[in-house]
Amino acid sequence: MSFINGTDTFAAARKGHYAVGAFNTNNLEWTRAILAAGQETHTPILIQSSMGAAKYMGGYKAVKNMVEKQVESMGITVPVIMHLDHGNYEAAKEAIAAGYSSVMFDGHDLDFEDNLVKTKEIVALAHAQGVSVEAEVGSIGGEEDGIVGAGELADVEEAKTLAATGVDYLAVGIGNIHGVYPENWTGLNFDRLQELADVIKTPLVLHGGSGIPKEQIVKAISMGISKVNVNTEQQIAWSDAVRKYYEADNDKKTKGFDPRKVLASGTEAIKNTVKERIEWFNTPSMW
């Protein structure tokens, strides 16, 4: 089974008032956990790599091949979208060439006109090869692979203009941030989300989905968010599970130091986290 692009999947999510999760992978175990969660819940799955994670794993082609081979070896039958998360201009082109079925061009750190021009170029290049495109307007707070955002609110007119380029989904800043949310975080700005949803029919994307309370995510989805990105919660689940493995002295049991046994605890934790988020997003089962 080959990858699908995300165009129809996320258009259906917007129309149906549900979301499909976008889950970051960082290695083989993460990949298997995410794919298994999609298969067990019978839901489409978007698996994505950041630029930094792709570099760590050997490059875009290596990541694409790894995910593809795991889909095959695990007997995955649900649709799988292979996505680049927060790619710059060159990274988006490289991921398209490597066989990704969906890419994000993140030009929020450029002035708007440059972001617009480059987004149009990536859309033309990607669509010619059947690849979906995500763009971003309004800086997402926190840091992702060295791209730092202050958590701005997306400008409605700029968002309309960027959506008109033909992007398949649009990431919007509505007070969300990457990483762990601080105690003084004031929550999502639903007034701005409503303004955006009223004038943009393109599926909207919520980055920084880890750490946002469930009720806020559910409300955002009901208002037009169709793709929710999850990474930090997977990292925390992984770390907590592996720590507990060692705290219980499991590594001192018969061959408990085998890395496959150590990593299995973290892998199961990631799978459970992904399955829980799929339930939050109300992603419908395919059968």
Side-chain angles (χ1 to χ4, degrees):
M1 184 187 77
S2 59
F3 299 127
I4 66 166
N5 66 33
T7 304
D8 291 342
T9 298
F10 290 101
R14 176 73 191 263
K15 184 177 180 180
H17 302 289
Y18 61 87
V20 174
F23 303 98
N24 286 66
T25 185
N26 290 283
N27 59 28
L28 174 67
E29 285 75 24
W30 286 54
T31 298
R32 292 180 64 84
I34 295 166
L35 293 174
Q39 187 70 17
E40 290 178 18
T41 56
H42 314 299
T43 57
I45 203 81
L46 183 147
I47 187 166
Q48 61 188 11
S49 68
S50 66
M51 294 187 296
K55 182 178 179 180
Y56 171 77
M57 290 184 278
Y60 300 110
K61 184 169 285 188
V63 175
K64 177 259 183 184
N65 289 342
M66 176 187 69
V67 177
E68 196 169 51
K69 292 302 181 184
Q70 292 308 309
V71 167
E72 180 183 340
S73 68
M74 294 173 68
I76 302 299
T77 57
V78 297
V80 179
I81 302 163
M82 183 75 241
H83 183 72
L84 170 67
D85 186 29
H86 286 284
N88 60 26
Y89 182 72
E90 293 302 325
K93 292 195 295 183
E94 289 177 28
I96 292 168
Y100 280 50
S101 61
S102 179
V103 296
M104 178 185 186
F105 166 58
D106 182 355
H108 86 264
D109 56 336
L110 306 173
D111 66 60
F112 182 71
E113 288 304 318
D114 284 344
N115 185 6
L116 184 61
V117 168
K118 285 186 166 55
T119 297
K120 289 179 179 178
E121 292 176 4
I122 293 298
V123 167
L125 176 63
H127 284 183
Q129 300 186 48
V131 175
S132 300
V133 179
E134 176 182 345
E136 180 174 320
V137 60
S139 175
I140 310 301
E143 180 177 349
E144 184 86 2
D145 273 355
I147 299 177
V148 179
E152 304 165 4
L153 297 181
D155 179 273
V156 176
E157 290 304 315
E158 289 185 352
K160 285 174 60 178
T161 302
L162 207 56
T165 63
V167 295
D168 301 283
Y169 12 103
L170 183 65
V172 292
I174 52 172
N176 43 316
I177 67 171
H178 292 121
V180 178
Y181 281 76
E183 291 184 3
N184 62 351
W185 181 61
T186 57
L188 297 178
N189 189 310
F190 291 107
D191 289 340
R192 180 53 52 90
L193 176 56
Q194 189 64 64
E195 291 178 291
L196 293 163
D198 283 345
V199 296
I200 298 170
K201 300 311 175 187
T202 304
L204 302 177
V205 182
L206 181 65
H207 282 252
S210 298
I212 300 175
K214 179 180 179 180
E215 61 271 18
Q216 291 195 35
I217 288 180
V218 171
K219 182 176 180 179
I221 291 170
S222 74
M223 296 171 66
I225 292 293
S226 309
K227 173 176 177 282
V228 182
N229 283 31
V230 180
N231 185 21
T232 301
E233 280 173 340
Q234 295 176 125
Q235 293 176 338
I236 292 172
W238 168 279
S239 179
D240 287 348
V242 173
R243 181 185 301 110
K244 289 176 182 177
Y245 182 91
Y246 281 108
E247 287 176 346
D249 289 333
N250 286 322
D251 59 311
K252 297 177 182 177
K253 297 176 182 178
T254 303
K255 291 195 175 180
F257 49 78
D258 185 328
R260 291 170 294 182
K261 293 184 178 181
V262 176
L263 297 176
S265 59
T267 303
E268 186 69 14
I270 290 175
K271 184 181 75 171
N272 291 337
T273 299
V274 172
K275 289 174 69 174
E276 180 183 57
R277 293 306 175 270
I278 289 171
E279 185 274 326
W280 283 20
F281 305 157
N282 200 31
T283 314
S285 172
M286 299 181 62
W287 63 81

